[in-house]
Amino acid sequence: GYHNFNFYDYVVAPEYQNSLVKMFGYSRGCAEAHRCDKAAALEDGQGRVGRDRRTSACTMANQCHGYRNATTLDERHLETANRILARFRFVGLQEAYNSSVLLLARTFDMEDRLQVSDFAKVRHTPAEEIRNCKGYRRRAVGSDAVVCREVMRANHLDVQLYEMIHRNFCRRLELYGLRGHPMVERELTAGSLCSTLDFS
């Protein structure tokens, strides 16, 4: 029958674990992607190009949903995800939203186009959603040691990837001369970012 899942159910569900590593380090690891890759190899063998190919879209797109059971993930997938993300010219952090906006603008030489509204961070949670959380509050991850440890254990690869992304973000802030900017320093201090704290 129908089951109302609460936060604790999601923590232990493999479909919701290590989603970042699944998306960036194992994006071709599902049956749909395997079928596409097999068909693409066949088309390669036939010499098909351009409009003659039927697999152009599926080979370019991420065929595998991030929320899928992938209990076979390991350190190799973590390394792949980190390597792929390192190729991006810009990766920001939600926890450092304003710093990310500044870094984005400086990376792509768009600082003259920035407006005050670019720094508006709106995260609205309707009262109804809060009531339907069955007693769970998002802050429980930060205030309940048992929940926090379980989340960290269940998502150990994502936690390591976050630390890698976080350190790369800090290096780029330094590289683009944004360390020392009042808005950046305020945000980094508030989130214990770019400090000695290791999130992994």
Side-chain angles (χ1 to χ4, degrees), residues 41-173:
L42 182 63
E43 288 187 331
D44 289 342
Q46 296 168 342
R48 290 192 183 193
V49 294
R51 291 185 178 177
D52 290 335
R53 293 187 71 94
R54 300 182 129 196
T55 58
S56 297
C58 76
T59 52
M60 290 173 64
N62 182 347
Q63 289 288 294
C64 307
H65 198 283
Y67 297 130
R68 68 184 192 280
N69 190 330
T71 50
T72 57
L73 289 175
D74 58 30
E75 299 294 325
R76 292 169 303 155
H77 301 108
L78 171 62
E79 290 167 16
T80 300
N82 187 45
R83 191 170 60 250
I84 287 170
L85 283 165
R87 293 176 187 160
F88 285 67
R89 281 187 65 196
F90 166 80
V91 175
L93 296 180
Q94 176 67 34
E95 297 77 14
Y97 182 87
N98 291 332
S99 303
S100 297
V101 170
L102 289 169
L103 180 59
L104 175 71
R106 191 154 293 180
T107 301
F108 295 102
D109 196 22
M110 296 169 28
E111 288 178 285
D112 58 332
R113 298 186 204 168
L114 283 179
Q115 299 176 9
V116 174
S117 61
D118 293 326
F119 299 96
K121 185 169 88 170
V122 179
R123 298 176 74 185
H124 177 66
T125 303
E128 182 182 358
E129 184 181 326
I130 293 172
R131 282 196 304 275
N132 290 338
C133 280
K134 311 291 184 199
Y136 163 68
R137 296 291 179 270
R138 287 179 181 83
R139 300 285 180 208
V141 176
S143 62
D144 185 326
V146 174
V147 174
C148 183
R149 277 194 296 273
E150 185 58 27
V151 169
M152 297 283 277
R153 184 204 61 74
N155 295 282
H156 66 285
L157 294 172
D158 269 8
V159 171
Q160 292 175 71
L161 182 60
Y162 178 85
E163 175 60 16
M164 294 171 180
I165 294 167
H166 159 239
R167 290 300 162 190
N168 193 35
F169 176 76
C170 298
R171 283 190 292 274
R172 289 182 182 185
L173 286 176

Side-chain angles (χ1 to χ4, degrees), residues 2-14:
Y2 181 77
H3 176 70
N4 279 326
F5 279 83
N6 62 28
F7 177 71
Y8 303 99
D9 295 322
Y10 284 112
V11 169
V12 298

